[in-house]
Amino acid sequence: MTPSQTVFLTLDPILKTLLSSIETFREACTTDDKTLNEERILGTLSIQVRLMENLERSLKEAVDKHGAGVLQGLLDYILLPLRLILQSSGWSDNTNEPIRQSAVWKSTEAAARVLDCIFSLAETSTTFKQTLDCLTACTFPLPMEQTSRKGLDRGDDCLYAVLRCIDTLLEHISEKKSQICMEMEGHLVARISFACTIILAPDNKSSRKKSQEVQLQALETLDLLMKVVPDPEMWQSYFPGLFAVLYGLVLSDLKIAPAHASPKVSAHSCVTLSRLLSATLSTEHNEVGETDVWAKVERMKIHYGTTQENDSAFLTEVYSRLPAPLILLLNLLPTASSSKLRLAASELCHSVVVETHSVWDNDETSNVFRSAMECCIALSRDKDERVESAAKSTIADYRHDSGDSGKQQVDNTIGPRLLELIEELPALARSGRETELRGKINLISGYLNLGESLRSSLTSVPKEVQSSLAVLFDVDFDSIQYAPRVESADAWNVWQPDQCRFRFMMDDTAMLAREMIRLLGNTLGQKGASLFVDACVADILEACMATSHTLFGPRQVDWLHQWIGFIVISNEVLVGAFDEKHSSPGQSDMGRSSQKDENLNRQSRKRYRRLHALAGAILPVITSDPLWSLPTVLDNIERIEQAETHGTVTVTEIQDQLKGQAETVSASALKGNAAIVCSLIGLVNEMVDLLANDSESFLSTVLYPLCERASSQNHSQVQRTAAFVLHRYAMACRLESTKELICQNFDYLFGAMLSKARLPIGHLRGRRTSCPRDISSIMQAVLRSASDVKTNANFVRSLSDETRISFVIELSNALVVSFDSNLSILNNDPSLQASTAMDLVEVLDASLSFIASTFGLNLGRAHYLSAEVEIPEPSKDWMATLKPFRLRSSLDHDDLPVKEASEKFREKNGDEDENHNAETQKVNVTHPSLEITDNELDFVSLALSRCSFFLSSPALHVEMASCVGMQHAFEFLGLIAKYSHPKEDDEPNGPQTGILRHIAVSFPSIISRIRSLSSAVVAANSIRRVSIRLLDISTESPDVSTEMIFLSKLWNLVACMSQVSGSFLVDRIRQQVWPIIAELLDAFVQLGKETSRKQLSTDNLALNELVQGETVVTEREKLLFSILDFLSRIYGQRECGTGLTDLIPTVGTIIIPFLANHGELRDRTLRALKTIMLIDCDALWRPLLQLSHHPLPPRPFGQKDSCIAVVNPDQECTTALELAAEELVAFVDSLPEQTL
């Protein structure tokens, strides 16, 4: 038996049963008994589905076993039932019977799958007639109109299977393709195309979205049909319906029409649309492969008439109807959100620009070609590499096909078109059409990316184009937020400036726009860009000098919006032209390697000359007045911040000084000034980056202006930007930090400040800050930086340091004189007086720190003047030392000669003396010579006198700064007096004499401030009745937390004065200071008792937390800590502590109760008590023994060994107070012998 017979015996039962079921289905559909026949129909259709599944499985097994040729003689028999099922699928198209219709669709789907399987398996066994018959049968299940189906099953799976089968059948047609057009009386292709349009078109009657898979398959079928039947005349007749449907699907993803399609469908629709244009409008058509010429002529006569008339009529319709929708579509496609749709757009552009170029090459439709070319140019800047590559390939194909004439035509039109596009940007930006704006920016960038071909047509940029670009980069002043200004000590840390936002662009659009301007700079070239930047800077300076309004009023806002964009575009043009990353590459592929190197060196030298010339031209201009000195803050900036929500505020006091009348100050103007100054600093930054190591030649031009803008008299954003640029400048000069840059240029900076200080001081128009305040702010930062560098490096003092100190003293004296001369004016403005006084105090303090740094000293952090008292390590029991001298008792069993014990005692004391001498020598080696000049001593005296005067300032922050300045001055004098070489006769103005004289002069003002602050603290009940005041929220009481902080600083100052003056302040401390301390400490003790009673009498946790308020309690503890540290420091100074020995019992009795606390308060109290016991431990010995439950020890020289029991010896220490007392008793036992 042959394989064909075997297969026939296998398939024959299935096919016969299938044919029988088809007959049964026909009979059931024609009878009148619908109830009985409905079950027969559904059962028959179910049997057909199972039979066709078995048939498909059997066919696959037969082909796998015997090969595809085994089906050659059986195909007609196999295809017959399948064609019958497909042809009968429309007979029961009854929407009132959704169950039967669903069953019919399942049967049709199974038949289409089997048919697809047969033609896939039997690739060479089928004939053209079999294929054509099956293709005709597949058209019957296709829809011919939009119908709203009931039920869940809408036949999507059936349509998908039928369309897949049609694709398979079309791929098998290799010859006689024209017969497809004649099949079904010429309606076969039309029926398939129309069915595809029905599937693709949106169903307006139903809200249900069509299946994406079915629509994609319909598009695939259309593509394949146009490929198999490349007949332009036929497709021209189908063009209107197909174009309308495909055009709507593309627009659906662009949010123009209702979104009935997904991005995949829209992208594939765009591809199909491009192929439709190529199939109907291309001048080079593929010839239809057929030999029967008369049949072709007959068909053309029937359907289309003559070819020439047909083409002419079709082109007329195309010219009248297509340009507008195509231009709209081509303008929208570059901004599509889907990358697949943009990739499809590149194919559409290729169809218009390359394949159908001759159709659009006339005056009426030239806009279509230009829109397609611009779409392609915009896509050449796409972020997707596939889209970018496809668009560039299209441009390259056009240039190749068009030849030199096409290139010349494009080059001639680029320049005017580019300027036209740039002038359209402001309207799009102001109207908020962000998507269209991004599309135009990408298009302009694409034009600019053409490079050399554009450079010849764009040699300069007109003023109108510059203004359009400036509007695009207008800054949003509200993005410049107020932040705490950086103090002078931290002004030159590396701060990363915040990026400002633009007024009409989002951040992602701004990035595209910046890249566009850089491409413009690259296109202009280095020479053109230099002229562009120089012209912009000159125009801005001229406009600023020509303004008649104040530089902080509402009119200034309009001026800033007009001109700030010019700075931004100048910055980007500069980067695009001179940055090697953006510059166009040289002739890298021409010549030998030596020739390449020579060309690169020549270009580098030319670049350096032009950049150097540009920097020399614009840097002095942008760092000069009035552009660089635009006011960014006012002294009473808090009022401006409060009025920020209202936009303006009237500051009468300030304008009375400026113009004698009240005038409106605009917060937006101050922000705008800050924005434009930041842009100018950014331009300097780009110059530094581009010049790199060569930027040192312009250091003298920009260093002081940058330091001026980094000072505390500017907006915080300006400060941070200037500090960032200073750091970049230091890196360009191969330095590690900005402080090193400042230290290396110390002489230049002080020379600039001295030159400004020696000029008559006046007010620039619109500026609020005066010259001394600017100088003082810069001077503070310069001195702090120089002090840190010199202290960290341990520099040895040299002659240059003495010269610099003379500059510092001279400038400080000039600032003091300026303050005195303007004192009458400052008295009328308390806020200005306070800020000016604060600047002066900080300058004096910074100058002291700098002078100390030249000696290698670091004020405020010196270990030899620290408040931390070093507690000696516990030594051997001193009683053991005296043991040989004790009277013998029954408890003593050893016998040590007196002489030997005395020698051991002397050896021990001798070792201690040698160690002490060695430590003293080591300290002296560290500071071998600290000789100070008379000029420096006079300056210290000036600083002390000024700070003492400002202790009575109405501004509390000025008082605290003065207190810190005085403390540093006394520390400095104490170090100089300690480590300088002693002289036979101490001159009247010597260090030690100066200390005592200044203490005698300043102590009265200090003690008066201490009395007043202590009285304020006690009177406000901030200590004694703070818990009661906190419970009664309605009670009004002043906030004395800042007074507590100042009082704490005053205690530190008095302690420092005591440490450097020895016993000079003993009487003053005993008579004037101690009563105040006793009152405060007694108040602290009483408060502790009240708090304990409150906590024991209430169970309300919220009340306890309120009693222990965080803010007040914290400041109160700081004050208590400062008092305890004060006691530690005065008793830590040997001479002063010995003079105050009579106060030890009283002091100890008052502060011992603080040992009952935990944490830092207990530790500081222990430190103070231990320091006091180093002077005299006997005064507190008995109270500590009682607290720690220790019996009195045996008499050291008595005959009896009994103890005096003053307490119960069996009681253990459990409380914090008892444990601390036990620790102090152990400390007393570890001390060496003291003076009796």
Side-chain angles (χ1 to χ4, degrees), residues 879-1005:
M879 295 294 291
T881 305
L882 295 178
K883 192 175 182 180
F885 304 98
R886 289 180 57 185
L887 296 176
R888 297 184 61 83
S889 65
S890 58
L891 299 177
D892 297 329
H893 301 286
D894 53 344
D895 187 6
L896 188 67
V898 175
K899 183 178 180 181
E900 184 178 353
S902 301
E903 290 177 356
K904 286 186 125 184
F905 182 73
R906 283 194 299 270
E907 288 176 2
K908 177 182 176 183
N909 291 339
D911 294 340
E912 293 179 354
D913 293 338
E914 290 176 2
N915 293 335
H916 177 72
N917 294 334
E919 293 178 359
T920 304
Q921 185 177 2
K922 182 177 180 181
V923 171
N924 290 334
V925 170
T926 305
H927 303 282
S929 176
L930 298 183
E931 300 299 333
I932 189 170
T933 63
D934 294 340
N935 190 25
E936 295 167 353
L937 284 175
D938 292 339
F939 175 74
V940 176
S941 301
L942 173 66
L944 281 170
S945 61
R946 287 292 170 172
C947 291
S948 178
F949 170 76
F950 287 128
L951 281 178
S952 58
S953 173
L956 193 60
H957 64 283
V958 178
E959 293 178 313
M960 288 190 285
S962 303
C963 182
V964 175
M966 292 184 68
Q967 181 178 347
H968 289 169
F970 282 119
E971 284 183 11
F972 177 64
L973 289 177
L975 292 171
I976 296 298
K978 183 176 182 179
Y979 298 115
S980 60
H981 291 304
K983 297 182 179 180
E984 296 180 358
D985 51 342
D986 191 9
E987 64 275 10
N989 198 26
Q992 189 61 41
T993 306
I995 291 174
L996 302 182
R997 183 174 65 251
H998 288 300
I999 289 177
V1001 172
S1002 59
F1003 188 81
S1005 61

Side-chain angles (χ1 to χ4, degrees), residues 222-223 226-227 230-244 246-247 250 268-286 311 314-315 317-319 321-330 333 344-360 365 368-369 371-372:
L222 278 176
D223 292 342
M226 283 185 283
K227 178 181 178 182
D231 192 339
E233 292 83 2
M234 183 187 65
W235 290 110
Q236 287 175 5
S237 64
Y238 306 152
F239 185 85
L242 290 174
F243 181 84
L246 296 174
Y247 186 83
V250 177
H268 203 154
S269 300
C270 187
V271 174
T272 307
L273 180 61
S274 63
R275 293 174 182 175
L276 179 63
L277 291 174
S278 300
T280 55
L281 299 176
S282 178
T283 57
E284 297 180 359
H285 302 303
N286 295 324
D311 291 343
F314 178 72
L315 289 177
E317 294 295 327
V318 166
Y319 292 156
R321 299 178 183 273
L322 251 64
L326 277 180
I327 291 173
L328 174 63
L329 183 62
L330 291 170
L333 283 174
S346 63
E347 187 168 345
L348 179 61
C349 293
H350 188 276
S351 176
V352 176
V353 173
V354 179
E355 298 179 10
T356 63
H357 168 62
S358 60
V359 177
W360 317 107
T365 59
V368 176
F369 174 78
S371 299

